[in-house]
Amino acid sequence: MKKAEIILAVLTLVGILLSVLHIPGGNILAVLTMTILSMVYFCLSFALLNGLGFRGMIKNDNYKAISALRMVGAVLSGIVFSTAIIGILFRWMMWPGAGAMLIVSIPGFLIMLIIVLIKYFTKKELFYRNMLIRIVIIGIPLVVLFVNSSLVRNIRYSDNPELLQAIEEAEQNPEDESLWRKVDSIKDVRDRAYQENREE
């Protein structure tokens, strides 16, 4: 299961890179892989975070060595990871509700970080080291995207100042639908020009 987690993370990075380079399919790949990764954390964190594989989930003997407290911690951590990944996805796609999801994730991340650090330095167990790695890998983009909400649009549309300005105006007046229509029309023109360049 850990291999599946790594593959999904790598494919997510590939999707983000493709979307930054405006290569078709990048956004779809990022959305699919981040959604699947979020569902894996949400549904299977009890096994994934405790180092059990797909086959290990079925065997009852594997659960005897895991304390009830650690199992509960793994499930709660999976929910926090899942929410954080969806928040990052929403921010990357510039969908409404991204800020709220990031805000909800951050307190859970802080609590998890404190507990994991204390446990890691007292017990030095592999479980807590792996948790710390996941917290850092997911937590850094979570905090960066929460602190700097304009970072995504600046990365994705750095080659189109007109679109950047239109998005900024629309975000300052979110109720004004004419501004959002202007953003969509500029995006459509940009996408058509890109497609024509590829066909030549």
Side-chain angles (χ1 to χ4, degrees), residues 29-64:
L29 182 61
V31 169
L32 281 175
T33 54
M34 290 177 85
T35 303
I36 293 168
L37 188 58
S38 173
M39 290 189 323
V40 166
Y41 279 127
F42 190 81
C43 300
L44 301 173
S45 60
F46 67 93
L48 174 65
L49 300 180
N50 283 304
L52 303 176
F54 285 112
R55 287 183 219 157
M57 287 191 314
I58 302 166
K59 296 178 182 176
N60 289 332
D61 295 341
N62 291 336
Y63 296 102
K64 289 178 182 175

Side-chain angles (χ1 to χ4, degrees), residues 105-163:
S105 302
I106 287 173
F109 253 85
L110 289 174
I111 293 166
M112 200 165 44
L113 178 63
I114 291 166
I115 293 169
V116 168
L117 281 173
I118 292 168
K119 292 282 190 181
Y120 177 70
F121 286 116
T122 54
K123 295 188 176 181
K124 299 283 185 186
E125 290 180 13
L126 183 64
F127 172 82
Y128 297 109
R129 184 181 69 83
N130 291 338
M131 284 291 291
L132 201 54
I133 291 168
R134 288 182 179 99
I135 289 169
V136 170
I137 289 172
I138 298 171
I140 289 173
L142 174 74
V143 172
V144 168
L145 293 176
F146 175 73
V147 171
N148 189 352
S149 59
S150 62
L151 179 66
V152 171
R153 73 167 179 253
N154 291 336
I155 290 172
R156 293 186 68 175
Y157 304 119
S158 60
D159 61 337
N160 194 332
E162 184 187 5
L163 180 56

Side-chain angles (χ1 to χ4, degrees), residues 14-32:
V14 170
I16 288 170
L17 181 62
L18 292 176
S19 66
V20 168
L21 297 173
H22 306 295
I23 296 172
N27 284 337
I28 293 170
L29 182 61
V31 169
L32 281 175

